[in-house]
Amino acid sequence: MSRRTPIVAANWKMHTTVRTAAELCQALRESIDEVRGVEKVVCPPFVFLALVQQALAGSSIKVGAQNVFWEEKGAFTGEISPPMLSDLCEYVIIGHSERRKYFGETDETANRRLKAALAEGLHPIFCIGETAEERQAGRTEEVLLRQVRQGLAGIEIPLGFVVAYEPVWAIGTGVPATGEIANEAIALIRRELASLYGGQLAEAARIQYGGSVDGVNIGEFMAEPEIDGALVGGASLKADVFTTIVAEAARLKGTA
Ligand code: PGA
């Protein structure tokens, strides 16, 4: 039994419609609401947050957003602020590699988003991970340490803070990391958290693996001691596959 409650989050990315979002919520209510010992989070596109919040109300499944801006309000066309989210969800993904790659986000903007989200009482899922080129060049450790240090600069993490280790080369590629590779990177991240915040907060932090997780390989990741759950993209859009992932996380890591 793990000391930390594992957390499995569904990142729907830019998928679903009003109808399919509602159907997915209904299916998940039936299949994972009763699974204990693992925290379950669904992160739909912004426009479906209210719908998903309502569809999952009264269940054990929590809701998260996929990003947040750092300003509270103002003339920022197209942006969504922390107070807007805190009425609709508990979690928010920050610093996802697709945001970094396609929308110019950096360690510094992740840091601003993290500060604003935490000040509003939202729980961030802070994403980091190296690219294939960085790994091939032997720079994985340097990159992860930089992302942790700069992303968390000036921040006191709360107990149970969530980090997602997502190697960019494994995201959406169908080529996951191995359990061993992910465990090693996550151990490194936890050691860095310990040096920044002390052993207690580092031991309580939940560090997920993300990148081509599916119903078959989830077991390999959950068997590793340092991995506290998963951030799931593509496979989270299929209710039966996401159900298997949650059930496996509970079976292998659950605190219930
Ligand atoms: P994937 O995405 O499971 O489709 O690889 C994971 C993520 O980007 O969070």
Side-chain angles (χ1 to χ4, degrees):
M1 285 295 160
S2 165
R3 301 141 296 174
R4 301 179 282 267
T5 303
I7 174 166
V8 175
N11 176 7
W12 289 1
K13 307 193 180 185
M14 200 174 73
H15 293 288
T16 67
T17 61
V18 165
R19 184 176 60 79
T20 60
E23 284 170 1
L24 203 41
C25 287
Q26 189 52 41
L28 293 177
R29 259 196 107 112
E30 283 162 23
S31 63
I32 60 170
D33 184 24
E34 312 255 286
V35 179
R36 301 284 165 236
V38 50
E39 220 177 328
K40 299 145 288 187
V41 185
V42 169
C43 304
F46 285 130
V47 288
F48 304 137
L49 278 171
L51 176 163
V52 167
Q53 179 192 41
Q54 238 186 351
L56 297 176
S59 80
S60 63
I61 309 165
K62 295 172 180 167
V63 184
Q66 296 177 16
N67 198 12
V68 65
F69 190 47
W70 51 81
E71 293 290 343
E72 195 183 320
K73 61 183 176 189
F76 301 104
T77 302
E79 291 299 319
I80 304 290
S81 74
M84 291 174 185
L85 290 184
S86 59
D87 284 339
L88 292 167
C89 62
E90 285 178 54
Y91 279 90
V92 58
I93 296 169
I94 290 178
H96 191 280
S97 68
E98 285 153 15
R99 302 295 320 171
R100 297 177 191 250
K101 181 171 167 197
Y102 301 123
F103 302 99
E105 296 194 14
T106 61
D107 295 325
E108 203 237 319
T109 60
N111 179 255
R112 296 181 78 169
R113 291 173 210 279
L114 285 165
K115 282 180 178 155
L118 286 165
E120 182 61 30
L122 291 160
H123 303 311
I125 297 173
F126 172 39
C127 301
I128 59 174
E130 82 286 358
T131 64
E133 296 71 46
E134 287 162 344
R135 176 163 284 272
Q136 275 148 22
R139 294 182 50 221
T140 299
E141 177 166 340
E142 166 209 327
V143 169
L144 294 178
L145 294 181
R146 187 205 74 222
Q147 289 174 331
V148 170
R149 287 175 193 155
Q150 296 189 7
L152 295 178
I155 289 173
E156 273 308 309
I157 60 167
L159 210 61
F161 186 70
V162 182
V163 178
Y165 167 61
E166 299 204 301
V168 178
W169 45 271
I171 296 179
T173 58
V175 183
T178 62
E180 195 185 340
I181 286 175
N183 194 66
E184 194 183 316
I186 288 174
L188 170 80
I189 295 164
R190 199 180 304 284
R191 281 198 299 277
E192 185 57 18
L193 292 179
S195 85
L196 292 171
Y197 301 108
Q200 205 185 343
L201 282 172
E203 278 306 307
R206 276 96 52 85
I207 311 182
Q208 302 170 309
Y209 166 73
S212 299
V213 169
D214 63 25
V216 177
N217 63 36
I218 182 67
E220 176 180 346
F221 295 107
M222 292 305 95
E224 296 288 341
E226 293 292 331
I227 309 180
D228 304 314
L231 181 55
V232 187
S236 73
L237 295 167
K238 299 185 196 97
D240 56 339
V241 180
F242 191 65
T243 297
T244 302
I245 293 169
V246 169
E248 279 295 277
R251 186 175 71 81
L252 291 161
K253 276 260 140 105
T255 50

